Each structure stands twice: as structure tokens, then as C-alpha cells.
């Protein structure tokens, strides 16, 4: 049995709005958001962890490279549970890396490192954890994309308006890097 809570982000959530409460969430019933062709499901965020880390999944179809970006204060983990995901990362010295990750593979992106990824197989899934001194960014997905009540991938791609790319990311430690080019592809 799970409980529903009202939060400042949603009228109903299975995630308690404050730290210090144990809770359980059935598969797929975290706070969901659609962004591009992907479904992001948040299971724990800053409010539950005193802004120390977040835990989410990202699943989607084979598709395009998501926009390159970096996080000034956030370290990010990519753990693949289904399908295949190509991770692109540039280190602080400018060296680029590209790795195809499949189930059980792990990728780590330090803060300030430009990165991006692309789902390489239909219905790929990433388990993500992000942590850092500046807080957590999990609410970025529903603020740039769209909150989703239903389970499953979006029926149509959710592409944010241009002005959202300029305003929403700053509040969530995300800097888009439109000039970033991946020389490794």
C-alpha cells in the first residue's frame, strides 16, 4: 500500500513532501514527466534527501541525441537496466569520450563536464542518481517538459518552447551547450 501526498509540484504524489518519512513506491508510480520522447520518473528528490541526491529513471525509444549540457554543482550517474544508451562526455581538459552502455553498465559524469546521451535501442532505460553541493535537479524534467499523470512514454514528443530553454535550466543547475559538438560519433 502506498500513500498519496499533495506537494508544491503536484496535486498528488507518492513521494512525501518533506524529509524523514520512510516511503515505498510501486514500479512506475513516482512523479512522472515527459520530455522529448522520454519518460522521467522521480522516486526521491531534494525534499526527501535534504538536497543531497536524487534518484530517477529515464526510459524512451531509440532517438536523437539529447541537448548537450553540464551541471556546475552536480555529479551524475547513468546505470543502464534495459536496451542500450550511448553516453557522450567531455572531461575538464577537453578530451571527449563516447561509450555504448548496455544493461548492467555504469557511466559517471563529474560536475562541469559537458555530456549528452542517445537511446540506441527501443525502450532503453537509465537509472539516474545525481548529487552535489548545489542541491538536486530532478524537478527540471517536469518544468522544462510536462508533468505526466499516465504511465508510459509520451504519445507525441514534448519539445519545450525556446524561452523555456533560456529560463528553466538556471534554477536546476543545468546549462545547455548548443555549440557543443561530439567529435567521437
Amino acid at each position: 500500500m502506498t500513500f498519496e501526498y499533495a506537494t508544491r509540484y503536484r496535486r498528488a504524489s507518492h513521494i512525501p513532501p518533506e524529509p524523514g518519512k520512510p516511503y515505498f513506491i510501486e514500479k512506475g508510480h513516482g512523479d512522472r514527466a515527459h520530455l522529448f520522447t522520454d519518460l522521467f520518473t522521480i522516486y526521491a528528490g531534494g525534499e526527501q534527501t535534504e538536497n543531497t541526491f536524487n534518484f530517477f529513471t529515464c526510459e524512451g525509444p531509440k532517438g536523437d541525441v539529447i541537448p548537450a549540457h553540464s551541471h556546475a554543482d552536480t555529479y551524475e550517474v547513468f546505470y543502464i537496466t534495459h536496451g542500450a544508451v550511448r553516453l557522450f562526455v567531455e572531461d575538464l581538459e577537453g578530451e571527449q569520450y563516447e561509450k555504448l552502455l548496455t544493461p548492467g553498465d555504469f557511466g559517471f559524469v563529474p560536475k562541469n563536464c559537458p555530456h549528452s546521451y542517445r537511446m540506441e535501442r527501443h525502450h532503453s532505460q537509465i537509472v539516474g542518481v545525481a548529487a552535489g553541493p548545489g542541491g538536486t535537479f530532478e524537478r527540471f524534467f517536469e518544468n522544462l517538459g510536462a508533468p505526466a499523470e499516465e504511465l508510459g512514454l509520451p504519445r507525441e514528443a514534448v519539445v519545450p518552447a525556446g524561452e523555456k530553454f533560456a529560463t528553466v535550466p538556471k534554477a536546476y543547475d543545468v546549462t545547455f551547450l548548443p555549440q557543443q559538438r561530439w567529435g567521437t560519433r
Side-chain angles (χ1 to χ4, degrees):
M1 179 169 139
T2 59
F3 294 94
E4 284 195 352
Y5 304 88
T7 72
R8 64 183 174 144
Y9 301 104
R10 300 173 170 273
R11 61 180 168 72
S13 172
H14 296 287
I15 304 172
E18 68 280 333
K21 281 189 178 254
Y23 63 97
F24 305 92
I25 298 176
E26 294 173 10
K27 179 181 176 181
H29 286 274
D31 291 351
R32 296 175 298 281
H34 291 151
L35 181 56
F36 305 116
T37 57
D38 298 338
L39 169 67
F40 291 86
T41 305
I42 301 163
Y43 292 93
E47 289 156 327
Q48 295 75 44
T49 67
E50 297 177 0
N51 284 324
T52 58
F53 74 94
N54 62 31
F55 183 94
F56 61 93
T57 59
C58 170
E59 56 189 291
K62 183 175 181 177
D64 296 328
V65 175
I66 63 140
H69 61 282
S70 65
H71 310 286
D73 288 322
T74 305
Y75 300 86
E76 192 170 0
V77 165
F78 292 77
Y79 181 80
I80 310 308
T81 58
H82 301 293
V85 177
R86 187 169 306 276
L87 182 59
F88 303 91
V89 182
E90 183 175 294
D91 68 19
L92 297 176
E93 286 78 40
E95 186 171 349
Q96 291 189 350
Y97 303 85
E98 173 187 325
K99 178 71 175 167
L100 180 66
L101 303 172
T102 58
D105 290 344
F106 173 92
F108 176 74
V109 178
K111 67 181 183 175
N112 290 309
C113 289
H115 59 285
S116 189
Y117 66 86
R118 177 176 61 218
M119 302 292 197
E120 294 286 354
R121 293 189 191 136
H122 289 295
H123 204 89
S124 293
Q125 184 180 49
I126 301 165
V127 171
V129 175
T136 60
F137 66 71
E138 72 281 350
R139 297 300 170 184
F140 165 79
F141 305 121
E142 63 195 347
N143 282 286
L144 186 63
E149 296 299 322
E150 68 279 359
L151 296 174
L153 300 177
R155 296 183 208 289
E156 294 182 21
V158 176
V159 180
E163 62 272 9
K164 274 190 155 184
F165 278 102
T167 58
V168 169
K170 293 179 186 355
Y172 298 99
D173 189 28
V174 177
T175 301
F176 283 112
L177 305 166
Q179 304 305 319
Q180 180 73 37
R181 298 292 174 254
W182 301 111
T184 58
R185 334 186 212 174

